[in-house]
Each structure stands twice: as C-alpha cells, then as structure tokens.
Amino acid sequence: MGHKKACLECHRAENLGSDLNNLTFELKFIEPYWSAIEMEEKSIQMLMNELKLELPKDHMLCNDNAKLIARKTNNDDIVLELEDKRIAVVHLTWKSKKEIDGYPITRIYKDKVDFWNKEMKLDVLNFKE
C-alpha cells in the first residue's frame, strides 16, 4: 500500500511540475520573430484584417478570438494566442479574399511550450540573416 501512495505522490509531483512550467513559461520573440508588443497598432490591425478576409467559414479559427502575439520576418506567418492558450501559426496568402481547400495553412500547438519545442526553436536555430 505504501508503494502505491508513493507512486501517486510522484505522479502528482510530475504533473505539478509540468503545469508550473507551462504557467511560468514566457516566449521571448527573437529573429526571425517580431513581437506584436513592438509593432505599431496599424500593423497589427492590417495583419488581423487580412486574416479575417482569408478565413473561410469552415476554418478552425473562424469562431476563435485570437490575439496576435508575433509575426515571422522571413515569411508570411503570424503567431496567434487563442482564448484557451493554444498557439496558432497561420501562413497568410495576401489574396485579400476568402481562401478554400485548407488555406490559409494553420498549425495549432497546445501551448507556448509546445510551440517553442516544435516550431520556434528550430526557426531560431535555422535563421540566417
């Protein structure tokens, strides 16, 4: 019985550690990323307006309130934080009209840590000016 209790406590500690890491993890946007905090409001509005123009009615982000948190400087990707703290990376096409057949291409990550590990870290390491 003591072994089961110890395993349960260990499992709780591991989960708490991952929860705390996700809560305290903050992204610092470095090249090729440009933080929305450093952008002018009109630039943010231009990007968000283009996103709204491009999203078809059946797109996964169509009904989500998303906040622009960054854009990539080396392509047309924007980085959004969704209300549930997931991260979405959207490749804008700049057609200024509704897209079809899976466009704009969108990648969803469960949180900032997931985004860092699966996309941003590689982008930063591979970035060449």
Side-chain angles (χ1 to χ4, degrees):
M1 182 116 162
H3 178 68
K4 283 185 179 180
K5 184 178 179 186
C7 286
L8 183 60
E9 287 173 3
C10 184
H11 178 72
R12 282 187 188 145
E14 287 172 5
N15 286 341
L16 180 60
S18 67
D19 289 344
L20 287 173
N21 288 338
N22 287 337
L23 290 173
T24 60
F25 184 85
E26 284 299 321
L27 286 173
K28 178 177 168 80
F29 291 106
I30 55 177
E31 288 186 317
Y33 291 86
W34 184 19
S35 175
I37 293 169
E38 299 171 6
M39 293 180 195
E40 292 182 15
E41 187 60 34
K42 65 181 179 179
S43 297
I44 293 170
Q45 284 304 315
M46 179 187 68
L47 293 166
M48 294 305 288
N49 288 340
E50 182 63 25
L51 175 66
K52 288 176 187 170
L53 286 172
E54 291 183 21
L55 289 180
K57 290 180 182 177
D58 61 346
H59 191 276
M60 65 182 85
L61 295 180
C62 203
N63 294 321
D64 264 313
N65 278 336
K67 175 184 171 191
L68 181 77
I69 58 173
R71 75 171 295 178
K72 290 187 189 180
T73 60
N74 60 344
N75 65 25
D76 291 321
D77 287 356
I78 59 172
V79 183
L80 307 164
E81 184 171 18
L82 307 180
E83 283 184 306
D84 63 5
K85 301 301 179 194
R86 290 180 301 154
I87 301 296
V89 180
V90 181
H91 183 79
L92 297 176
T93 62
W94 293 99
K95 289 185 180 177
S96 296
K97 64 179 185 178
K98 296 244 183 277
E99 288 289 351
I100 56 170
D101 297 330
Y103 289 93
I105 295 172
T106 304
R107 296 176 298 284
I108 302 284
Y109 299 96
K110 66 181 180 178
D111 54 30
K112 291 176 182 177
V113 174
D114 191 39
F115 166 65
W116 166 256
N117 286 321
K118 293 180 179 169
E119 184 162 341
M120 187 175 170
K121 179 170 42 174
L122 293 171
D123 288 337
V124 169
L125 290 171
N126 294 325
F127 180 70
K128 293 175 180 53
E129 291 184 42

